[in-house]
Amino acid sequence: MAKELISLQYLRPPLHITRQFLSLTSPPSTLILRPKPPQNPIFIRTSSHRSKTSHDDDGVPADDVKTLAKFKSRHNFIRVIEVSRKTNHPLAGSRLLLLDNPGNIHSISFLLKTLTDSYFDVFATLPPIIPPGPIGILGFGAGSTARLILELYPPDFTVHGWELDPSVIDVGREFFGISKLEREHKDRIFINIGDALNASLKTGFSGILVDLFSKGSVIKELQDPKVWEDLKSRLRKRGRIMVNVGGNCVEAEDSERDGGLVMEETLKAMSHVFGDKLFVLTLGNGNDSSVALTGDLPDLDAWKKRLPRSELRSYVDMWVPYREHSSRH
């Protein structure tokens, strides 16, 4: 399950979307949207009061945010919100899927553009450096990653997604265009309901994208090297795994699950399995979330040339060896 994390937290007077709880005791006049793993954290403020952050200029009036769905499923507290196209904000014209009590953002979809300016775009750089074939998405959410792959790449790549909560898929079909993807790419997208760690194909995966969070934290299983051994065994020859490992920006329900420490524990577990063939890309100002990549570092120039959108090329130069990353933390 899980995904992109943004939680909603009301600071008096603004509403702050990070990984914390959504408190409705005193509705604020502005909404602070901070997509957890995106490249640039996003905040919202009121015109009369600014929260004490370095992102004061990213305010979005609460009047420009509409709730489209709000209910509890067996696994999640699910909310879908829409940000007005008229507002002056990076999330203008987007729909967001919020899960868990903290209100984490697990999917982003824009009406008028494909790219998301978040870690989903980093995930979209994987196909050029893996063999053509099936890509497993562990933690499907409302299909943000699947949409990018299906719309940007040729039929040589198929998407096989796993999501624990069927209600999340239902919401994705109703509000995030999954139904349209299934109609237009019926031979390329396959959605499975169940534990993503049990995901497998007889032919193996060309690539695996891992985006598994629970209660605002990277799931505990991903701090176990045995899990990474298992996932590695499901890859085809020259296959790779790309992972949203969270970071300091992640605020879990459990205060003991510090985002930065969980990220380092996850990377350490991966390093036991992949050794020097592990690279890390950190988004934002260095204190935001990170993405991990397995395998030898590809030829960067060739990788850039094979990317379908020029906006994706900047990510290619951001990868550093895990050992270099760990020496900085």
Side-chain angles (χ1 to χ4, degrees):
M1 185 171 61
K3 328 297 150 236
E4 193 178 43
L5 307 176
I6 302 181
S7 69
L8 295 175
Q9 178 182 28
Y10 284 85
L11 307 173
R12 275 190 198 112
L15 164 63
H16 178 204
I17 297 183
T18 69
R19 271 199 176 188
Q20 287 318 87
F21 294 87
L22 172 58
S23 169
L24 298 174
T25 52
S26 158
S29 59
T30 57
L31 181 63
I32 300 223
L33 301 171
R34 185 210 272 177
K36 274 320 181 174
Q39 183 173 6
N40 298 306
I42 298 172
F43 299 82
I44 303 175
R45 69 169 192 280
T46 63
S47 57
S48 60
H49 176 87
R50 294 190 176 201
S51 58
K52 304 299 183 180
T53 76
S54 61
H55 303 279
D56 283 339
D57 292 335
D58 288 329
V60 172
D63 289 344
D64 288 336
V65 177
K66 180 194 301 184
T67 299
L68 303 181
K70 179 180 178 181
F71 66 96
K72 289 186 178 180
S73 69
R74 177 183 175 185
H75 300 284
N76 291 292
F77 176 33
I78 296 174
R79 281 154 289 178
V80 178
I81 66 173
E82 185 172 78
V83 181
S84 171
R85 284 184 290 166
K86 297 179 180 180
T87 194
N88 182 24
H89 190 274
L91 286 179
S94 70
R95 285 186 178 180
L96 310 175
L97 170 66
L98 313 178
L99 298 182
D100 308 323
N101 285 328
N104 298 327
I105 293 182
H106 285 240
S107 291
I108 298 178
S109 175
F110 286 90
L111 180 62
L112 299 178
K113 68 177 184 177
T114 302
L115 299 182
T116 66
D117 296 321
S118 74
Y119 74 91
F120 290 126
D121 296 352
V122 181
F123 277 178
T125 67
L126 181 65
I129 57 172
I130 60 175
I135 297 175
I137 300 178
L138 312 189
F140 191 81
S144 295
T145 300
R147 179 176 300 104
L148 288 169
I149 292 172
L150 294 173
E151 293 184 358
L152 295 177
Y153 293 98
D156 295 355
F157 295 99
T158 58
V159 167
H160 299 255
W162 273 262
E163 173 59 47
L164 184 64
D165 192 344
S167 294
V168 169
I169 300 301
D170 291 340
V171 164
R173 287 183 171 126
E174 182 172 356
F175 296 104
F176 291 87
I178 290 180
S179 293
K180 181 180 179 182
L181 289 178
E182 291 173 314
R183 289 194 306 270
E184 296 181 349
H185 305 278
K186 60 182 179 180
D187 296 324
R188 297 184 62 200
I189 180 171
F190 307 91
I191 300 174
N192 305 274
I193 302 299
D195 186 344
L197 293 181
N198 293 330
S200 66
L201 290 178
K202 291 182 179 180
T203 58
F205 294 103
S206 294
I208 299 175
L209 294 163
V210 181
D211 198 7
L212 296 171
F213 285 73
S214 178
K215 297 181 180 179
S217 178
V218 176
I219 63 172
K220 294 180 179 180
E221 289 86 345
L222 298 188
Q223 288 91 63
D224 182 353
K226 293 180 180 178
V227 171
W228 294 108
E229 284 280 9
D230 195 18
L231 291 175
K232 181 181 179 182
S233 71
R234 303 178 203 176
L235 289 172
R236 293 181 176 182
K237 186 178 180 180
R238 298 190 304 279
R240 298 175 182 270
I241 301 175
M242 191 178 280
V243 189
N244 175 11
V245 293
N248 292 327
C249 67
V250 175
E251 302 163 18
E253 288 184 27
D254 183 351
S255 59
E256 296 183 0
R257 298 282 292 170
D258 176 79
L261 291 178
V262 170
M263 175 189 70
E264 293 303 332
E265 290 173 5
T266 302
L267 289 170
K268 184 177 180 180
M270 295 183 71
S271 71
H272 283 301
V273 177
F274 299 100
D276 291 333
K277 296 184 178 183
L278 179 64
F279 298 84
V280 183
L281 179 157
T282 300
L283 296 167
N285 59 11
N287 292 318
D288 298 326
S289 67
S290 296
V291 179
L293 173 68
T294 69
D296 292 314
L297 189 66
D299 180 294
L300 301 187
D301 289 334
W303 189 358
K304 290 178 183 179
K305 289 178 181 178
R306 296 186 63 191
L307 288 170
R309 298 284 290 270
S310 60
E311 299 96 320
L312 298 176
R313 295 172 189 163
S314 61
Y315 296 115
V316 171
D317 294 318
M318 295 172 65
W319 295 100
V320 299
Y322 166 65
R323 294 186 187 281
E324 180 180 331
H325 167 87
S326 61
S327 68
R328 299 175 181 174
H329 294 75

